[in-house]
Structure formats: C-alpha cells, structure tokens
Amino acid sequence: MLDRKKIKSALLSVFYKNGLEEIVRYLSDNGVKIYSTGGTLSFIEGLGATAQPVESLTGYPSILGGRVKTLHPKIFGGILARRDNPDDCTQLAQYEIPEVDLVIVDLYPFEETLASGAPDDEVIEKIDIGGISLIRAAAKNYGDVAIVASRRQYAELLAMLRENGCGATLANRRYLAAQAFNVSSHYDSAIFSYFNRSEHIPAFKQSVHGVTPLRYGENPHQKAAFYGSFGDMFEQLHGKEISYNNLLDIDAAVSLIREFDEPTFAILKHSNACGAASRPTLLQAWEAALAADPVSAFGGVLICNRELDKATAEEAGKLFCEVVIAPAYNEDGLAILKQKKNRIILVAKTFELPAAQSRTLLNGVATQERDLAAEGERDMTSVTAAKPTAEQVQDLIFANKLVKHSKSNAIVLAKNRQLLAGGVGQTSRVDALRHAIEKAAAFGFSLSGAVMASDAFFPFPDCVEIAHKAGIAAIIQPGGSVNDQKSIDYCNANGVAMVVTGVRHFKH
C-alpha cells in the first residue's frame, strides 16, 4: 500500500456535471485513462476529451432503462483489487480487468426529487444502485483507490490532484473514503426515512449535512456545533455569531410566535416568554410586551410576526437584546437596530418545523411528536356556573398559548391579550402561581378581572383559591385530576369561571 499513488485511470459516472469540466481536462492533460457511462461519457466527449465507455469493458450495454450500467466484475474488480495482493493481481490479469485508481460519482438526486413532490414511481427511480455500489467499493479499497462521492468535492479533488502531481496520498484517500461513507450513509438514511413513513419500523435514524461551529455550548467550557441548514430558515442581516443559547431561545421564540395571527410581539429569556402581547399595531404590542417584565427583557430575544417598522424599531432599539427576529424590516428601522454592532438581526423565512422532536437521554435518544395542539373556544368546556365573557375567552386562549410554551410547572396570568406575569419552571404549581402573582405586583399590574392558564391540572383546590384572592376572574386548565370537583366547587362558591380543555401542555 503506497502512500502517494499516481492516478493512471479513473471512472466517472455522475448525475450533475456542473464543475466537472476542469477535472476532466486536468485528467486528460495528465494522460489518465478515463472510463465513463451514458450522459457523463457524452459530456466528456463534448469537451473534446477521450473516454472509454464501460460497455466496452463489460461487453453489455446499459440495460433495464439505465438501471444496470456498471454492476459488473470487470468494473468492480478493477476497483476492489488490492494492488499488493498477488492473487488479486493474478486474477486481474487472468480476466483482463483494468485497474481503476480514481472513482468520481454523484448520486441520483433522491432527496431533491422527494422534496419536489414527485410521485412515488419517480422517487423510486432516483434511488441510485450502481453509484452507491461504486462509492462503497472504492471507499473500502481506499488503500489503492481515491473516491469522490459528491459534486461538492470537485474543487477539493482538483486541488488535491494538483498538489500531488495527479496523485493522492494515503491520508488523502482515507479522508475521501470517510467523506464517501458520510455521503452513502446519509443517502441510505433518507431512503429509509421515505419508506418508513408508512412502515413505522421502530428505528431512529437521522442524518444532517451541514455544520455550523458555535462559540461554545451552554457554558464556555462546553464545545458545541449546530447541525442543520440555518440559512434555509433565517437570513442574518447583522450581528455576531449565533451561540448555542441563542439557538435554544430562537427555537422557542419561533415556536411561540407561530401560535398568533394578529400583530404580536414576544420577548423571551431562557426559552420562556417574559413579555408578550397582541395589539392592533406592532408598536402597541411591543410596549405592552415590554411592560410585563422590563427587567428580564434585558439581554433577551425579541420576535414579532409583522414587518418591524421604524417607530417600533426606535423603541425596541433602546433595549439591550441578543437577537431580533421579524419576517421583514423597514429600511429605516433596520438601520436603527444595526446601531448595536453585536445585535443579531434575523429575517425569518417561510419554513416548516419538523413534525417530530428528539433529544439525547441517558445512553439513547427519545423522540416525540411536536405539540401541535392549539385549543380554541370550541375546545373549551365550561365546568362552572359562571361563564367567561367574550373578552375573557380571548384572554384565556391567549394565556393558554403562552403557558403551552413555558417550562413546567407553569402558570400564566393575562388580561387584554397581554402577559401580566408568568411563573415557570417551578417544582410545584402553587410556587409557580405565587411567583406569577408577585411578579405582576412588582411591575404594577392589577390582577382584578385577569385570567389564569395552567399547563396541567390542579391536584388540589389551593391554586384556584390563591388565584381568586389575587383577583383572577377566569381560569383555563386541562382538567383530569381526581380532585377536579373540589376546584370547581371553590370556583362556584366564589363566582370564578373555569373551563377545561382536556389537553395538557407539559414542557421540560
């Protein structure tokens, strides 16, 4: 197994030809024997270069509508033969199989075809057989063969060949083999996921191309990276590099704001809303959201669901914040926000969040469906003599959306579609409620006539009693406790309206 090997022969079989021309010319200029197939062969000949069709080696034409072209011992023998193995070399000579030193493959675009909404028969035809086999064979025999498995590596290959005098070192070949198995495993995972949409085989497979190194994890001593296509979801207009904690807050912010159709502004800190409001104008929504907790808003993430105008930007720009997210920005407003050089400014594109969520737990991975339940007025069952007014119903819906996206145990207090206070991440529901009441008082809010939302049922009537004494007039909760009637009885005795939804919204 030689360290540096001269490339004397190459097999090219690619779907996309973009970027291939320079490689073909380089190989031809250096006297490399080129073997090729179908459209790739026509492309090479169109450049004025010489290539030998694989049919001349195999003795078979491309058959079955192109499904079988390279699957033949005279192709795979030349790739898999170990050059330092006498028996392998003897068999190559015996069967007149030429050695292949370089394989360049670009697979059929399976994922792109699937994403286009093409019918199943077209998707199936884009499952590459010969190409994936060539990749695995060449990567396995990296001791003697260099493999390029994606058009994304064309420039890298050309630089490597030039650096090594139309050759490749052992380190080069091993690196290319690792990249090749990365391509093939990702390709197979995508195909499995496609079939498993209907088969539901109990297996977890996820493959994500594209990595963004992050400054650090939750803390400076933790290394971190983001695997995914951030640019498909957001355009960053300004600011420093996004951190791990920024990503957590951005994810929470996007999930929350999608609950609202009317002009809404939300401020998040550590993935929880510390301010939120819906109003006729964005500026009014911003002012009401900030009023809920201007202390916690410092260093938070701001998100809205309308173009961020100049007037709102002038006010929001006064606050130190890490991230601002909007679907669009007024030009003058954007200039104002950019005055802070490190402030991250993002344009939220139109994109779908995954239907399933996963997280590492212990020595494995836990998955669940995303919580897409969104309770409206029709999902509320009134269980008390007092009924919520029309305005209270809207406040209950608003509060329930917020509590759904708050860390458990969570209580949200709201009025006039404004977050007054939230108690989040507490070990008891009573503590969450008391914390919310204390916060509301600290920022000058009266809870008279306000509503309360709870992410889970009340195990005892103590919460409704505390809430009522603080001024809460209507309550929304899932229900389902063995002590539900005790809470209902207290509400009936004190004129408090309560509705249940039957849907719990724990968030850990």
Side-chain angles (χ1 to χ4, degrees), residues 235-240 308 313-314 316-318 321 324 329-347:
E235 179 185 359
Q236 183 168 353
L237 302 180
H238 183 74
K240 61 185 178 181
L308 212 163
E314 285 178 334
K318 296 175 183 178
C321 61
V324 181
Y329 294 84
N330 167 273
E331 185 176 346
D332 293 334
L334 180 60
I336 293 169
L337 294 173
K338 284 184 175 181
Q339 291 174 3
K340 298 294 184 181
K341 68 175 184 178
N342 288 328
R343 179 180 285 151
I344 297 166
I345 302 176
L346 302 176
V347 175

Side-chain angles (χ1 to χ4, degrees), residues 161-410:
L161 292 174
R162 285 171 171 164
E163 181 181 347
N164 292 285
C166 199
T169 66
L170 181 59
N172 293 150
R173 300 191 300 274
R174 185 178 177 87
Y175 165 77
L176 291 172
Q179 290 280 22
F181 283 121
N182 181 35
V183 170
S184 65
S185 62
H186 177 85
Y187 196 78
D188 284 340
S189 292
I191 295 169
F192 169 77
S193 296
Y194 164 71
F195 278 97
N196 208 39
R197 293 188 306 185
S198 57
E199 303 307 321
H200 307 297
I201 297 169
F204 178 81
K205 298 182 188 297
Q206 189 169 27
S207 177
V208 181
H209 278 326
V211 60
T212 302
L214 303 174
R215 295 197 306 274
Y216 51 79
E218 288 183 286
N219 301 291
H221 62 276
Q222 295 171 269
K223 294 181 180 179
F226 173 70
Y227 291 89
S229 300
F230 190 81
D232 291 345
M233 301 176 289
F234 302 96
E235 179 185 359
Q236 183 168 353
L237 302 180
H238 183 74
K240 61 185 178 181
E241 292 180 358
I242 293 171
S243 71
Y244 182 92
N245 291 332
N246 290 154
L247 285 174
L248 294 178
D249 286 335
I250 291 168
D251 178 73
V254 168
S255 296
L256 172 61
I257 205 68
R258 290 185 173 211
E259 300 280 357
F260 300 93
D261 296 321
E262 60 274 35
T264 301
F265 220 117
I267 307 168
L268 286 88
K269 195 73 170 290
H270 298 299
S271 299
N272 292 298
C274 59
S278 297
R279 290 290 186 270
T281 71
L282 200 61
L283 177 58
Q284 292 171 333
W286 160 254
E287 291 171 341
L290 180 63
D293 188 349
V295 175
S296 295
F298 183 86
V301 170
L302 317 184
I303 189 167
C304 60
N305 59 359
R306 295 292 191 277
E307 177 179 304
L308 212 163
D309 56 88
K310 180 182 178 182
T312 307
E314 285 178 334
E315 294 303 314
K318 296 175 183 178
L319 176 74
F320 169 74
C321 61
E322 287 276 329
V323 183
V324 181
I325 310 169
Y329 294 84
N330 167 273
E331 185 176 346
D332 293 334
L334 180 60
I336 293 169
L337 294 173
K338 284 184 175 181
Q339 291 174 3
K340 298 294 184 181
K341 68 175 184 178
N342 288 328
R343 179 180 285 151
I344 297 166
I345 302 176
L346 302 176
V347 175
K349 300 179 182 179
T350 301
F351 63 92
E352 293 299 320
L353 292 170
Q357 297 173 307
S358 61
R359 67 198 305 183
T360 56
L361 293 177
L362 302 174
N363 66 346
V365 176
T367 66
Q368 67 170 359
E369 295 176 342
R370 183 177 294 275
D371 185 358
L372 298 176
E375 297 80 54
E377 185 174 1
R378 290 182 299 178
D379 304 299
M380 299 178 183
T381 300
S382 180
V383 293
T384 52
K387 309 302 179 187
T389 65
E391 185 62 29
Q392 287 172 342
V393 167
Q394 294 307 308
D395 284 342
L396 290 169
I397 294 171
F398 176 86
N400 199 49
K401 290 176 179 179
L402 293 178
V403 84
K404 169 184 171 181
H405 293 275
S406 301
K407 292 293 180 71
S408 300
N409 289 305

Side-chain angles (χ1 to χ4, degrees), residues 69-91:
K69 293 190 287 282
T70 58
L71 296 170
H72 194 280
K74 283 208 169 183
I75 301 298
F76 281 85
I79 296 171
L80 285 165
R82 294 155 291 188
R83 313 305 199 253
D84 59 354
N85 184 304
D87 289 341
D88 285 5
C89 294
T90 296
Q91 290 181 45

Side-chain angles (χ1 to χ4, degrees), residues 1 40 63 73 87 101 166 203 212 311 327 410 416 431 480:
M1 184 184 297
T40 310
I63 61 174
D87 289 341
D101 303 318
C166 199
T212 302
N416 297 330
D431 285 345

